[in-house]
Amino acid sequence: MSRERPKRGTLPPAQENIEKLEKVVEEGNYYGAQQMYKSISARYVSAQRYSEALDLLQSGACNQLKHGQVTCGAELAALFVDTLVKGRFPYDDEILARVRKIYKEFPRIPVPQQLGDLDDMQQLSETLGAAKTCVEGCSSFLKAALKWSAEFGATRVGAPEIHVMLANYIYFESPEVDMVRVSHHFIRGNNPKEFASTLVNFMGKCYPGEDDLAIARAILMYLSLGNLRDANNLMDEIKKQVESKQLDFPQSDLIQFISFLLQTLLRDALPLFNMLRAKYKSSLDREPTFHELLDEIAEKFYGVRRRNPLQGMGMFGEIFKMMGGE
């Protein structure tokens, strides 16, 4: 933990302010409470009493979120992370638990399923707006926490547990699901089983033809990081969950390619890898980023250097380089 100066001056123990401000929130004076949370926590930070500032900000964020004050809660949550950085708190299980506690207070807003009259449309619009606000606030908080964790002791890309939290919130709470963003965070997480559950859930509500794309994208993203183990674990877990729920596993040329690819990468077989890419090119063309991911996979598993996009441009490529384009 960071070193802190002894308590001094007129600042009381943080718990006194926590109890006082809880009453202000309970009375419904959310704006007044917000200003006091911010000003009082800033005084603790100025006195380098970082632990007490964290206690106050965590309490404030949770209280505001419990009362549906998402913008206020998200602001205090962001200040909580900012104080972690200022106090140079190392990443550990205790701080992770505190981040998770704030995360769990962000509202989950159900979208109305049946719409009939104008009032329903008005309600839908308001609900979607509230959901968007929640996702933006929670995402900002967790992204800041990821940056802090990467700087103060977790992995280079941030704590895997926080990536899983962010992936889950984006998937289940976003008005419009972005599976690329969801997958981006899950593959940097540490829970392929939970990722599989999310993909199976997506398969049950996506448009025809999106299910195999989502599975293939997830596998290729894992492999582009050199993570063959979790790519295989994910595929096995999806098949297991689909079978247990008596659902149909997608059958397509793209899924066939993924199955062959996972077997190919177990051995030194670059010619077979290239042959598969050529044979299934039309399936891979369904999503242009698949080719980029496969280039990264070739580099990770077979040492194939990625082609410089300026190669083949001749004189124009050289001019571009001289102008600082590389």
Side-chain angles (χ1 to χ4, degrees):
M1 285 283 175
S2 60
R3 291 175 295 175
E4 304 187 5
R5 292 177 184 171
K7 298 175 184 177
R8 64 181 188 184
T10 58
L11 274 176
Q15 188 59 35
E16 291 184 20
N17 283 311
I18 288 173
E19 293 170 1
K20 180 175 71 175
L21 291 178
E22 280 178 353
K23 293 176 182 176
V24 178
V25 172
E26 290 292 338
E27 291 167 358
N29 186 4
Y30 306 121
Y31 178 79
Q34 185 75 358
Q35 301 312 308
M36 286 188 278
Y37 275 123
K38 289 162 62 177
S39 62
I40 295 172
S41 65
R43 292 173 63 194
Y44 284 114
V45 169
S46 296
Q48 295 188 18
R49 290 165 61 173
Y50 298 113
S51 290
E52 290 176 283
L54 289 177
D55 292 344
L56 185 65
L57 289 167
Q58 180 183 340
S59 174
C62 291
N63 283 331
Q64 294 280 36
L65 290 169
K66 282 176 184 174
H67 286 80
Q69 303 302 303
V70 177
T71 301
C72 290
E75 183 181 22
L76 296 178
L79 288 172
F80 176 88
V81 178
D82 187 52
T83 303
L84 290 175
V85 175
K86 288 178 179 176
R88 304 193 64 81
F89 284 82
Y91 171 79
D92 60 23
D93 289 343
E94 184 210 344
I95 301 294
L96 176 62
R98 299 178 75 169
V99 169
R100 190 184 301 279
K101 186 171 182 180
I102 296 173
Y103 157 73
K104 285 185 174 180
E105 294 297 342
F106 275 89
R108 273 68 175 167
I109 299 177
V111 176
Q113 297 300 308
Q114 296 181 343
L115 301 174
D117 53 29
L118 188 61
D119 289 340
D120 290 329
M121 293 305 297
Q122 177 67 26
Q123 180 189 358
L124 176 63
S125 177
E126 292 174 357
T127 301
L128 293 178
K132 184 179 179 182
T133 298
C134 289
V135 171
E136 288 174 352
C138 188
S139 296
S140 295
F141 162 57
L142 291 178
K143 285 178 182 177
L146 280 171
K147 187 176 179 181
W148 157 76
S149 68
E151 186 177 352
F152 290 96
T155 64
R156 182 176 57 85
V157 295
E161 296 87 352
I162 299 177
H163 276 292
V164 173
M165 291 181 220
L166 184 50
N168 266 317
Y169 201 86
I170 291 172
Y171 177 75
F172 286 104
E173 305 307 322
S174 293
E176 295 182 11
V177 176
D178 182 347
M179 287 305 295
V180 175
R181 282 181 68 204
V182 171
S183 299
H184 170 86
H185 290 292
F186 263 125
I187 65 165
R188 288 161 176 79
N190 57 355
N191 200 331
K193 186 174 182 178
E194 196 164 348
F195 191 8
S197 297
T198 301
L199 286 168
V200 172
N201 179 282
F202 178 72
M203 288 164 56
K205 60 185 182 183
C206 66
Y207 291 110
E210 287 186 336
D211 48 3
D212 63 337
L213 281 175
I215 293 171
R217 184 190 304 114
I219 299 294
L220 292 176
M221 289 174 79
Y222 265 133
L223 295 174
S224 71
L225 298 180
N227 191 347
L228 180 59
R229 182 198 64 190
D230 283 343
N232 276 300
N233 288 342
L234 180 67
M235 182 64 98
D236 292 343
E237 188 61 37
I238 292 172
K239 290 178 178 177
K240 187 194 305 181
Q241 292 189 27
V242 165
E243 184 178 352
S244 70
K245 295 176 185 293
Q246 297 184 320
L247 301 172
D248 293 325
F249 187 80
Q251 303 292 330
S252 68
D253 288 345
L254 183 59
I255 291 297
Q256 193 174 59
F257 167 79
I258 292 297
S259 298
F260 287 143
L261 177 64
L262 289 171
Q263 298 173 49
T264 301
L265 294 177
L266 290 171
R267 51 188 183 272
D268 187 9
L270 179 58
L272 179 56
F273 174 85
N274 289 330
M275 187 184 76
L276 284 172
R277 289 189 68 171
K279 181 178 179 180
Y280 289 93
K281 183 179 182 301
S282 60
S283 295
L284 296 169
D285 285 344
R286 290 171 59 193
E287 185 162 320
T289 57
F290 286 171
H291 293 290
E292 296 175 24
L293 289 169
L294 285 164
D295 285 345
E296 293 177 21
I297 292 166
E299 184 173 11
K300 281 282 191 304
F301 286 86
Y302 299 117
V304 178
R305 293 187 61 184
R306 299 189 65 187
R307 182 176 179 273
N308 188 322
L310 296 178
Q311 286 179 349
M313 291 177 65
M315 179 178 67
F316 295 104
E318 294 302 316
I319 293 172
F320 191 74
K321 288 180 187 178
M322 287 189 291
M323 293 175 64
E326 183 180 66

